[in-house]
Amino acid sequence: MTAFEVIHDFPAAMADRAGAWNFIRGFAATWRSPLADGDGWSEADLDAAEARLGVRLPAALREAYQLFGRRTDLTSLQDVLLSPADLEVKDQALVFRAENQAVVFWGIPIAELDQPDPPVVLRTDLADKGAESWDSWLDRFSHACLELVLSESLFSSEDLGDNRALAEGEASMLAQRFTRLPLPDYPTSQTAVPAVRWFADPDLIIRDDQRTWIWVRARTAEALAQIRTELPGDWMMDYSY
């Protein structure tokens, strides 16, 4: 069996739900700790949520919650994957994730809940409530889970993670040096453009936010030191100076 590797395994993760769950299993085992019994919510927990809300939960959501829904180190270090008891319906969307200051919410349109792997929408808490709307985010819930696990990994280790502003021209250097992961561009809020891009090499995961800020998670101290050397600048977690 081939060892897990982010760049190699990501295309299969984008292909279907089974590929996404296999990727998350491999990612957890390689970058965090392996998934185990008890890391997911039970059928009874999800059935109770359906009864309380009066909706049917999509197959992809049920599968994800049963596989890793209780693993807060994979899902909720920065933003929060809601528990089955906290799922809610708001303005014709099933809300399943909340930004850490409740500024942004992720949901599934009620009209799409009958799809096995439905699209995900995004809503930002705005001062002008009339301007709020559910906007398109990612086209499959399983893709949203991949993004969620990658994003939360950025906050999983102070010793192996860092971030800093990108100077003019540096965003284009990322595509030259690293492999672009095939997640489509997506925004971090209703008004955020240009969108987020992901890159990787065997020991690094990199998120480029709006071509202005870079987040890095490394597997090794050597890999983190290398990107700091290749992209010198004011890294927020670099206390070596």
PDB file of all heavy atoms in Angstrom, residues 93-130:
ATOM      1  N   ALA A  93     -31.376  27.368   5.276  1.00  0.00           N
ATOM      2  CA  ALA A  93     -30.124  26.611   5.179  1.00  0.00           C
ATOM      3  C   ALA A  93     -29.881  25.887   6.494  1.00  0.00           C
ATOM      4  O   ALA A  93     -30.203  26.397   7.579  1.00  0.00           O
ATOM      5  CB  ALA A  93     -28.946  27.516   4.852  1.00  0.00           C
ATOM      6  N   LEU A  94     -29.312  24.695   6.399  1.00  0.00           N
ATOM      7  CA  LEU A  94     -28.915  23.926   7.572  1.00  0.00           C
ATOM      8  C   LEU A  94     -27.499  24.344   7.949  1.00  0.00           C
ATOM      9  O   LEU A  94     -26.543  24.048   7.233  1.00  0.00           O
ATOM     10  CB  LEU A  94     -28.967  22.427   7.262  1.00  0.00           C
ATOM     11  CG  LEU A  94     -28.434  21.503   8.364  1.00  0.00           C
ATOM     12  CD1 LEU A  94     -29.344  21.538   9.592  1.00  0.00           C
ATOM     13  CD2 LEU A  94     -28.290  20.070   7.845  1.00  0.00           C
ATOM     14  N   VAL A  95     -27.347  25.044   9.060  1.00  0.00           N
ATOM     15  CA  VAL A  95     -26.050  25.555   9.495  1.00  0.00           C
ATOM     16  C   VAL A  95     -25.291  24.454  10.233  1.00  0.00           C
ATOM     17  O   VAL A  95     -25.808  23.872  11.187  1.00  0.00           O
ATOM     18  CB  VAL A  95     -26.216  26.781  10.409  1.00  0.00           C
ATOM     19  CG1 VAL A  95     -24.847  27.304  10.854  1.00  0.00           C
ATOM     20  CG2 VAL A  95     -26.997  27.877   9.694  1.00  0.00           C
ATOM     21  N   PHE A  96     -24.043  24.167   9.782  1.00  0.00           N
ATOM     22  CA  PHE A  96     -23.250  23.099  10.401  1.00  0.00           C
ATOM     23  C   PHE A  96     -21.883  23.566  10.905  1.00  0.00           C
ATOM     24  O   PHE A  96     -21.192  22.821  11.608  1.00  0.00           O
ATOM     25  CB  PHE A  96     -23.052  21.926   9.421  1.00  0.00           C
ATOM     26  CG  PHE A  96     -22.214  22.255   8.217  1.00  0.00           C
ATOM     27  CD1 PHE A  96     -20.827  22.131   8.252  1.00  0.00           C
ATOM     28  CD2 PHE A  96     -22.808  22.688   7.048  1.00  0.00           C
ATOM     29  CE1 PHE A  96     -20.050  22.437   7.144  1.00  0.00           C
ATOM     30  CE2 PHE A  96     -22.035  22.999   5.928  1.00  0.00           C
ATOM     31  CZ  PHE A  96     -20.652  22.870   5.979  1.00  0.00           C
ATOM     32  N   ARG A  97     -21.488  24.784  10.572  1.00  0.00           N
ATOM     33  CA  ARG A  97     -20.164  25.273  10.978  1.00  0.00           C
ATOM     34  C   ARG A  97     -20.232  26.764  11.243  1.00  0.00           C
ATOM     35  O   ARG A  97     -20.968  27.486  10.551  1.00  0.00           O
ATOM     36  CB  ARG A  97     -19.139  24.979   9.878  1.00  0.00           C
ATOM     37  CG  ARG A  97     -17.686  25.275  10.244  1.00  0.00           C
ATOM     38  CD  ARG A  97     -16.787  25.050   9.037  1.00  0.00           C
ATOM     39  NE  ARG A  97     -15.375  25.296   9.321  1.00  0.00           N
ATOM     40  CZ  ARG A  97     -14.454  25.507   8.388  1.00  0.00           C
ATOM     41  NH1 ARG A  97     -14.789  25.475   7.102  1.00  0.00           N
ATOM     42  NH2 ARG A  97     -13.188  25.724   8.726  1.00  0.00           N
ATOM     43  N   ALA A  98     -19.477  27.221  12.251  1.00  0.00           N
ATOM     44  CA  ALA A  98     -19.485  28.633  12.599  1.00  0.00           C
ATOM     45  C   ALA A  98     -18.059  29.138  12.789  1.00  0.00           C
ATOM     46  O   ALA A  98     -17.232  28.449  13.394  1.00  0.00           O
ATOM     47  CB  ALA A  98     -20.291  28.875  13.876  1.00  0.00           C
ATOM     48  N   GLU A  99     -17.784  30.316  12.286  1.00  0.00           N
ATOM     49  CA  GLU A  99     -16.497  30.975  12.521  1.00  0.00           C
ATOM     50  C   GLU A  99     -16.341  31.266  14.006  1.00  0.00           C
ATOM     51  O   GLU A  99     -17.340  31.403  14.724  1.00  0.00           O
ATOM     52  CB  GLU A  99     -16.448  32.256  11.679  1.00  0.00           C
ATOM     53  CG  GLU A  99     -15.105  32.948  11.636  1.00  0.00           C
ATOM     54  CD  GLU A  99     -15.013  34.067  12.660  1.00  0.00           C
ATOM     55  OE1 GLU A  99     -16.064  34.481  13.193  1.00  0.00           O
ATOM     56  OE2 GLU A  99     -13.893  34.520  12.928  1.00  0.00           O
ATOM     57  N   ASN A 100     -15.114  31.347  14.481  1.00  0.00           N
ATOM     58  CA  ASN A 100     -14.873  31.360  15.931  1.00  0.00           C
ATOM     59  C   ASN A 100     -15.466  32.567  16.641  1.00  0.00           C
ATOM     60  O   ASN A 100     -15.706  32.516  17.846  1.00  0.00           O
ATOM     61  CB  ASN A 100     -13.366  31.249  16.229  1.00  0.00           C
ATOM     62  CG  ASN A 100     -12.596  32.488  15.847  1.00  0.00           C
ATOM     63  OD1 ASN A 100     -12.370  33.387  16.644  1.00  0.00           O
ATOM     64  ND2 ASN A 100     -12.166  32.547  14.588  1.00  0.00           N
ATOM     65  N   GLN A 101     -15.745  33.654  15.933  1.00  0.00           N
ATOM     66  CA  GLN A 101     -16.401  34.812  16.536  1.00  0.00           C
ATOM     67  C   GLN A 101     -17.823  34.995  16.014  1.00  0.00           C
ATOM     68  O   GLN A 101     -18.404  36.072  16.160  1.00  0.00           O
ATOM     69  CB  GLN A 101     -15.568  36.067  16.287  1.00  0.00           C
ATOM     70  CG  GLN A 101     -14.195  36.021  16.962  1.00  0.00           C
ATOM     71  CD  GLN A 101     -13.386  37.287  16.747  1.00  0.00           C
ATOM     72  OE1 GLN A 101     -13.676  38.101  15.872  1.00  0.00           O
ATOM     73  NE2 GLN A 101     -12.357  37.468  17.562  1.00  0.00           N
ATOM     74  N   ALA A 102     -18.362  33.930  15.426  1.00  0.00           N
ATOM     75  CA  ALA A 102     -19.735  33.931  14.899  1.00  0.00           C
ATOM     76  C   ALA A 102     -19.955  35.031  13.862  1.00  0.00           C
ATOM     77  O   ALA A 102     -21.029  35.625  13.785  1.00  0.00           O
ATOM     78  CB  ALA A 102     -20.747  34.043  16.037  1.00  0.00           C
ATOM     79  N   VAL A 103     -18.916  35.280  13.061  1.00  0.00           N
ATOM     80  CA  VAL A 103     -19.017  36.274  11.996  1.00  0.00           C
ATOM     81  C   VAL A 103     -19.408  35.619  10.674  1.00  0.00           C
ATOM     82  O   VAL A 103     -20.090  36.227   9.858  1.00  0.00           O
ATOM     83  CB  VAL A 103     -17.682  37.033  11.849  1.00  0.00           C
ATOM     84  CG1 VAL A 103     -17.695  37.955  10.636  1.00  0.00           C
ATOM     85  CG2 VAL A 103     -17.392  37.837  13.116  1.00  0.00           C
ATOM     86  N   VAL A 104     -18.985  34.372  10.468  1.00  0.00           N
ATOM     87  CA  VAL A 104     -19.276  33.641   9.237  1.00  0.00           C
ATOM     88  C   VAL A 104     -19.896  32.298   9.607  1.00  0.00           C
ATOM     89  O   VAL A 104     -19.493  31.666  10.593  1.00  0.00           O
ATOM     90  CB  VAL A 104     -17.999  33.421   8.401  1.00  0.00           C
ATOM     91  CG1 VAL A 104     -18.300  32.638   7.133  1.00  0.00           C
ATOM     92  CG2 VAL A 104     -17.349  34.758   8.048  1.00  0.00           C
ATOM     93  N   PHE A 105     -20.857  31.866   8.791  1.00  0.00           N
ATOM     94  CA  PHE A 105     -21.510  30.578   8.995  1.00  0.00           C
ATOM     95  C   PHE A 105     -21.533  29.811   7.677  1.00  0.00           C
ATOM     96  O   PHE A 105     -21.617  30.407   6.601  1.00  0.00           O
ATOM     97  CB  PHE A 105     -22.951  30.770   9.493  1.00  0.00           C
ATOM     98  CG  PHE A 105     -23.041  31.477  10.810  1.00  0.00           C
ATOM     99  CD1 PHE A 105     -23.119  32.863  10.864  1.00  0.00           C
ATOM    100  CD2 PHE A 105     -23.020  30.761  11.993  1.00  0.00           C
ATOM    101  CE1 PHE A 105     -23.188  33.525  12.085  1.00  0.00           C
ATOM    102  CE2 PHE A 105     -23.090  31.404  13.217  1.00  0.00           C
ATOM    103  CZ  PHE A 105     -23.171  32.802  13.258  1.00  0.00           C
ATOM    104  N   TRP A 106     -21.435  28.489   7.789  1.00  0.00           N
ATOM    105  CA  TRP A 106     -21.510  27.604   6.632  1.00  0.00           C
ATOM    106  C   TRP A 106     -22.764  26.751   6.743  1.00  0.00           C
ATOM    107  O   TRP A 106     -23.116  26.284   7.842  1.00  0.00           O
ATOM    108  CB  TRP A 106     -20.289  26.691   6.577  1.00  0.00           C
ATOM    109  CG  TRP A 106     -18.996  27.378   6.281  1.00  0.00           C
ATOM    110  CD1 TRP A 106     -18.381  27.475   5.065  1.00  0.00           C
ATOM    111  CD2 TRP A 106     -18.119  28.047   7.217  1.00  0.00           C
ATOM    112  NE1 TRP A 106     -17.182  28.156   5.177  1.00  0.00           N
ATOM    113  CE2 TRP A 106     -17.001  28.518   6.493  1.00  0.00           C
ATOM    114  CE3 TRP A 106     -18.178  28.288   8.597  1.00  0.00           C
ATOM    115  CZ2 TRP A 106     -15.955  29.216   7.097  1.00  0.00           C
ATOM    116  CZ3 TRP A 106     -17.144  28.983   9.196  1.00  0.00           C
ATOM    117  CH2 TRP A 106     -16.043  29.436   8.453  1.00  0.00           C
ATOM    118  N   GLY A 107     -23.430  26.543   5.613  1.00  0.00           N
ATOM    119  CA  GLY A 107     -24.656  25.766   5.651  1.00  0.00           C
ATOM    120  C   GLY A 107     -24.920  25.030   4.352  1.00  0.00           C
ATOM    121  O   GLY A 107     -24.176  25.168   3.361  1.00  0.00           O
ATOM    122  N   ILE A 108     -25.975  24.243   4.372  1.00  0.00           N
ATOM    123  CA  ILE A 108     -26.454  23.524   3.191  1.00  0.00           C
ATOM    124  C   ILE A 108     -27.864  24.027   2.902  1.00  0.00           C
ATOM    125  O   ILE A 108     -28.711  24.038   3.803  1.00  0.00           O
ATOM    126  CB  ILE A 108     -26.501  22.004   3.446  1.00  0.00           C
ATOM    127  CG1 ILE A 108     -25.114  21.466   3.812  1.00  0.00           C
ATOM    128  CG2 ILE A 108     -27.053  21.275   2.224  1.00  0.00           C
ATOM    129  CD1 ILE A 108     -25.144  20.034   4.324  1.00  0.00           C
ATOM    130  N   PRO A 109     -28.155  24.468   1.693  1.00  0.00           N
ATOM    131  CA  PRO A 109     -29.510  24.922   1.380  1.00  0.00           C
ATOM    132  C   PRO A 109     -30.542  23.821   1.669  1.00  0.00           C
ATOM    133  O   PRO A 109     -30.332  22.655   1.308  1.00  0.00           O
ATOM    134  CB  PRO A 109     -29.450  25.252  -0.111  1.00  0.00           C
ATOM    135  CG  PRO A 109     -27.998  25.522  -0.379  1.00  0.00           C
ATOM    136  CD  PRO A 109     -27.247  24.599   0.538  1.00  0.00           C
ATOM    137  N   ILE A 110     -31.609  24.184   2.309  1.00  0.00           N
ATOM    138  CA  ILE A 110     -32.663  23.206   2.615  1.00  0.00           C
ATOM    139  C   ILE A 110     -33.140  22.514   1.341  1.00  0.00           C
ATOM    140  O   ILE A 110     -33.404  21.303   1.339  1.00  0.00           O
ATOM    141  CB  ILE A 110     -33.838  23.906   3.327  1.00  0.00           C
ATOM    142  CG1 ILE A 110     -33.410  24.399   4.714  1.00  0.00           C
ATOM    143  CG2 ILE A 110     -35.033  22.956   3.447  1.00  0.00           C
ATOM    144  CD1 ILE A 110     -32.999  23.301   5.666  1.00  0.00           C
ATOM    145  N   ALA A 111     -33.211  23.250   0.253  1.00  0.00           N
ATOM    146  CA  ALA A 111     -33.679  22.683  -1.015  1.00  0.00           C
ATOM    147  C   ALA A 111     -32.736  21.634  -1.575  1.00  0.00           C
ATOM    148  O   ALA A 111     -33.120  20.869  -2.470  1.00  0.00           O
ATOM    149  CB  ALA A 111     -33.886  23.795  -2.039  1.00  0.00           C
ATOM    150  N   GLU A 112     -31.488  21.574  -1.062  1.00  0.00           N
ATOM    151  CA  GLU A 112     -30.486  20.625  -1.571  1.00  0.00           C
ATOM    152  C   GLU A 112     -30.246  19.456  -0.621  1.00  0.00           C
ATOM    153  O   GLU A 112     -29.375  18.624  -0.890  1.00  0.00           O
ATOM    154  CB  GLU A 112     -29.149  21.351  -1.809  1.00  0.00           C
ATOM    155  CG  GLU A 112     -29.242  22.607  -2.643  1.00  0.00           C
ATOM    156  CD  GLU A 112     -29.436  22.326  -4.123  1.00  0.00           C
ATOM    157  OE1 GLU A 112     -29.444  21.139  -4.514  1.00  0.00           O
ATOM    158  OE2 GLU A 112     -29.573  23.297  -4.885  1.00  0.00           O
ATOM    159  N   LEU A 113     -30.981  19.379   0.477  1.00  0.00           N
ATOM    160  CA  LEU A 113     -30.710  18.335   1.470  1.00  0.00           C
ATOM    161  C   LEU A 113     -30.995  16.933   0.961  1.00  0.00           C
ATOM    162  O   LEU A 113     -30.515  15.952   1.546  1.00  0.00           O
ATOM    163  CB  LEU A 113     -31.527  18.593   2.743  1.00  0.00           C
ATOM    164  CG  LEU A 113     -31.103  19.781   3.602  1.00  0.00           C
ATOM    165  CD1 LEU A 113     -32.023  19.905   4.814  1.00  0.00           C
ATOM    166  CD2 LEU A 113     -29.650  19.645   4.057  1.00  0.00           C
ATOM    167  N   ASP A 114     -31.758  16.814  -0.124  1.00  0.00           N
ATOM    168  CA  ASP A 114     -32.038  15.481  -0.656  1.00  0.00           C
ATOM    169  C   ASP A 114     -30.884  14.939  -1.488  1.00  0.00           C
ATOM    170  O   ASP A 114     -30.879  13.765  -1.866  1.00  0.00           O
ATOM    171  CB  ASP A 114     -33.314  15.496  -1.490  1.00  0.00           C
ATOM    172  CG  ASP A 114     -33.236  16.462  -2.671  1.00  0.00           C
ATOM    173  OD1 ASP A 114     -32.404  17.388  -2.634  1.00  0.00           O
ATOM    174  OD2 ASP A 114     -34.013  16.287  -3.628  1.00  0.00           O
ATOM    175  N   GLN A 115     -29.882  15.776  -1.780  1.00  0.00           N
ATOM    176  CA  GLN A 115     -28.717  15.306  -2.520  1.00  0.00           C
ATOM    177  C   GLN A 115     -27.774  14.563  -1.580  1.00  0.00           C
ATOM    178  O   GLN A 115     -27.571  14.978  -0.436  1.00  0.00           O
ATOM    179  CB  GLN A 115     -27.978  16.474  -3.161  1.00  0.00           C
ATOM    180  CG  GLN A 115     -28.742  17.217  -4.232  1.00  0.00           C
ATOM    181  CD  GLN A 115     -27.855  18.176  -4.993  1.00  0.00           C
ATOM    182  OE1 GLN A 115     -26.672  17.903  -5.227  1.00  0.00           O
ATOM    183  NE2 GLN A 115     -28.416  19.308  -5.403  1.00  0.00           N
ATOM    184  N   PRO A 116     -27.159  13.467  -2.028  1.00  0.00           N
ATOM    185  CA  PRO A 116     -26.226  12.740  -1.162  1.00  0.00           C
ATOM    186  C   PRO A 116     -25.029  13.579  -0.718  1.00  0.00           C
ATOM    187  O   PRO A 116     -24.575  13.450   0.426  1.00  0.00           O
ATOM    188  CB  PRO A 116     -25.780  11.559  -2.031  1.00  0.00           C
ATOM    189  CG  PRO A 116     -26.853  11.397  -3.054  1.00  0.00           C
ATOM    190  CD  PRO A 116     -27.373  12.776  -3.317  1.00  0.00           C
ATOM    191  N   ASP A 117     -24.518  14.432  -1.602  1.00  0.00           N
ATOM    192  CA  ASP A 117     -23.337  15.247  -1.316  1.00  0.00           C
ATOM    193  C   ASP A 117     -23.614  16.669  -1.801  1.00  0.00           C
ATOM    194  O   ASP A 117     -23.089  17.112  -2.816  1.00  0.00           O
ATOM    195  CB  ASP A 117     -22.110  14.655  -2.013  1.00  0.00           C
ATOM    196  CG  ASP A 117     -20.788  15.153  -1.438  1.00  0.00           C
ATOM    197  OD1 ASP A 117     -20.812  15.942  -0.481  1.00  0.00           O
ATOM    198  OD2 ASP A 117     -19.736  14.737  -1.950  1.00  0.00           O
ATOM    199  N   PRO A 118     -24.429  17.419  -1.066  1.00  0.00           N
ATOM    200  CA  PRO A 118     -24.953  18.688  -1.569  1.00  0.00           C
ATOM    201  C   PRO A 118     -23.930  19.815  -1.522  1.00  0.00           C
ATOM    202  O   PRO A 118     -22.899  19.724  -0.852  1.00  0.00           O
ATOM    203  CB  PRO A 118     -26.104  18.979  -0.610  1.00  0.00           C
ATOM    204  CG  PRO A 118     -25.669  18.347   0.678  1.00  0.00           C
ATOM    205  CD  PRO A 118     -24.955  17.086   0.267  1.00  0.00           C
ATOM    206  N   PRO A 119     -24.224  20.911  -2.225  1.00  0.00           N
ATOM    207  CA  PRO A 119     -23.348  22.085  -2.173  1.00  0.00           C
ATOM    208  C   PRO A 119     -23.433  22.782  -0.811  1.00  0.00           C
ATOM    209  O   PRO A 119     -24.400  22.613  -0.063  1.00  0.00           O
ATOM    210  CB  PRO A 119     -23.889  22.978  -3.289  1.00  0.00           C
ATOM    211  CG  PRO A 119     -25.315  22.582  -3.434  1.00  0.00           C
ATOM    212  CD  PRO A 119     -25.365  21.109  -3.137  1.00  0.00           C
ATOM    213  N   VAL A 120     -22.410  23.573  -0.535  1.00  0.00           N
ATOM    214  CA  VAL A 120     -22.327  24.326   0.711  1.00  0.00           C
ATOM    215  C   VAL A 120     -22.349  25.813   0.393  1.00  0.00           C
ATOM    216  O   VAL A 120     -21.753  26.260  -0.598  1.00  0.00           O
ATOM    217  CB  VAL A 120     -21.051  23.953   1.485  1.00  0.00           C
ATOM    218  CG1 VAL A 120     -20.817  24.879   2.674  1.00  0.00           C
ATOM    219  CG2 VAL A 120     -21.137  22.506   1.963  1.00  0.00           C
ATOM    220  N   VAL A 121     -23.039  26.566   1.250  1.00  0.00           N
ATOM    221  CA  VAL A 121     -23.140  28.011   1.082  1.00  0.00           C
ATOM    222  C   VAL A 121     -22.549  28.707   2.302  1.00  0.00           C
ATOM    223  O   VAL A 121     -22.348  28.102   3.354  1.00  0.00           O
ATOM    224  CB  VAL A 121     -24.601  28.444   0.860  1.00  0.00           C
ATOM    225  CG1 VAL A 121     -25.086  28.003  -0.512  1.00  0.00           C
ATOM    226  CG2 VAL A 121     -25.526  27.884   1.954  1.00  0.00           C
ATOM    227  N   LEU A 122     -22.286  30.001   2.149  1.00  0.00           N
ATOM    228  CA  LEU A 122     -21.594  30.797   3.154  1.00  0.00           C
ATOM    229  C   LEU A 122     -22.401  32.059   3.427  1.00  0.00           C
ATOM    230  O   LEU A 122     -22.956  32.665   2.505  1.00  0.00           O
ATOM    231  CB  LEU A 122     -20.208  31.171   2.616  1.00  0.00           C
ATOM    232  CG  LEU A 122     -19.281  32.012   3.482  1.00  0.00           C
ATOM    233  CD1 LEU A 122     -18.505  31.085   4.427  1.00  0.00           C
ATOM    234  CD2 LEU A 122     -18.280  32.762   2.598  1.00  0.00           C
ATOM    235  N   ARG A 123     -22.452  32.452   4.701  1.00  0.00           N
ATOM    236  CA  ARG A 123     -23.163  33.684   5.078  1.00  0.00           C
ATOM    237  C   ARG A 123     -22.312  34.451   6.078  1.00  0.00           C
ATOM    238  O   ARG A 123     -21.767  33.861   7.012  1.00  0.00           O
ATOM    239  CB  ARG A 123     -24.522  33.341   5.686  1.00  0.00           C
ATOM    240  CG  ARG A 123     -25.415  34.543   5.975  1.00  0.00           C
ATOM    241  CD  ARG A 123     -26.689  34.098   6.681  1.00  0.00           C
ATOM    242  NE  ARG A 123     -27.634  35.176   6.867  1.00  0.00           N
ATOM    243  CZ  ARG A 123     -28.733  35.345   6.148  1.00  0.00           C
ATOM    244  NH1 ARG A 123     -29.025  34.474   5.190  1.00  0.00           N
ATOM    245  NH2 ARG A 123     -29.560  36.347   6.385  1.00  0.00           N
ATOM    246  N   THR A 124     -22.208  35.756   5.884  1.00  0.00           N
ATOM    247  CA  THR A 124     -21.424  36.615   6.767  1.00  0.00           C
ATOM    248  C   THR A 124     -22.358  37.497   7.581  1.00  0.00           C
ATOM    249  O   THR A 124     -23.331  38.055   7.049  1.00  0.00           O
ATOM    250  CB  THR A 124     -20.464  37.498   5.949  1.00  0.00           C
ATOM    251  OG1 THR A 124     -19.657  36.658   5.118  1.00  0.00           O
ATOM    252  CG2 THR A 124     -19.563  38.307   6.861  1.00  0.00           C
ATOM    253  N   ASP A 125     -22.059  37.622   8.868  1.00  0.00           N
ATOM    254  CA  ASP A 125     -22.820  38.499   9.758  1.00  0.00           C
ATOM    255  C   ASP A 125     -22.416  39.939   9.460  1.00  0.00           C
ATOM    256  O   ASP A 125     -21.279  40.341   9.729  1.00  0.00           O
ATOM    257  CB  ASP A 125     -22.523  38.136  11.209  1.00  0.00           C
ATOM    258  CG  ASP A 125     -23.343  38.949  12.197  1.00  0.00           C
ATOM    259  OD1 ASP A 125     -24.457  39.363  11.834  1.00  0.00           O
ATOM    260  OD2 ASP A 125     -22.863  39.177  13.330  1.00  0.00           O
ATOM    261  N   LEU A 126     -23.313  40.727   8.877  1.00  0.00           N
ATOM    262  CA  LEU A 126     -23.032  42.092   8.465  1.00  0.00           C
ATOM    263  C   LEU A 126     -23.805  43.100   9.306  1.00  0.00           C
ATOM    264  O   LEU A 126     -24.864  42.780   9.864  1.00  0.00           O
ATOM    265  CB  LEU A 126     -23.395  42.287   6.988  1.00  0.00           C
ATOM    266  CG  LEU A 126     -22.695  41.366   5.986  1.00  0.00           C
ATOM    267  CD1 LEU A 126     -23.276  41.574   4.594  1.00  0.00           C
ATOM    268  CD2 LEU A 126     -21.190  41.606   5.992  1.00  0.00           C
ATOM    269  N   ALA A 127     -23.269  44.315   9.399  1.00  0.00           N
ATOM    270  CA  ALA A 127     -23.982  45.376  10.106  1.00  0.00           C
ATOM    271  C   ALA A 127     -25.320  45.657   9.425  1.00  0.00           C
ATOM    272  O   ALA A 127     -26.334  45.895  10.094  1.00  0.00           O
ATOM    273  CB  ALA A 127     -23.123  46.637  10.154  1.00  0.00           C
ATOM    274  N   ASP A 128     -25.325  45.616   8.104  1.00  0.00           N
ATOM    275  CA  ASP A 128     -26.551  45.778   7.332  1.00  0.00           C
ATOM    276  C   ASP A 128     -27.179  44.409   7.129  1.00  0.00           C
ATOM    277  O   ASP A 128     -26.792  43.654   6.233  1.00  0.00           O
ATOM    278  CB  ASP A 128     -26.222  46.438   5.986  1.00  0.00           C
ATOM    279  CG  ASP A 128     -27.456  46.628   5.118  1.00  0.00           C
ATOM    280  OD1 ASP A 128     -28.576  46.340   5.578  1.00  0.00           O
ATOM    281  OD2 ASP A 128     -27.279  47.091   3.964  1.00  0.00           O
ATOM    282  N   LYS A 129     -28.116  44.048   7.987  1.00  0.00           N
ATOM    283  CA  LYS A 129     -28.714  42.715   7.924  1.00  0.00           C
ATOM    284  C   LYS A 129     -29.400  42.458   6.583  1.00  0.00           C
ATOM    285  O   LYS A 129     -29.479  41.319   6.125  1.00  0.00           O
ATOM    286  CB  LYS A 129     -29.710  42.527   9.072  1.00  0.00           C
ATOM    287  CG  LYS A 129     -29.058  42.589  10.458  1.00  0.00           C
ATOM    288  CD  LYS A 129     -27.955  41.552  10.588  1.00  0.00           C
ATOM    289  CE  LYS A 129     -27.276  41.609  11.943  1.00  0.00           C
ATOM    290  NZ  LYS A 129     -26.137  40.674  12.045  1.00  0.00           N
ATOM    291  N   GLY A 130     -29.876  43.520   5.960  1.00  0.00           N
ATOM    292  CA  GLY A 130     -30.533  43.354   4.675  1.00  0.00           C
ATOM    293  C   GLY A 130     -29.590  42.938   3.572  1.00  0.00           C
ATOM    294  O   GLY A 130     -30.028  42.443   2.521  1.00  0.00           O
TER     295      GLY A 130
END
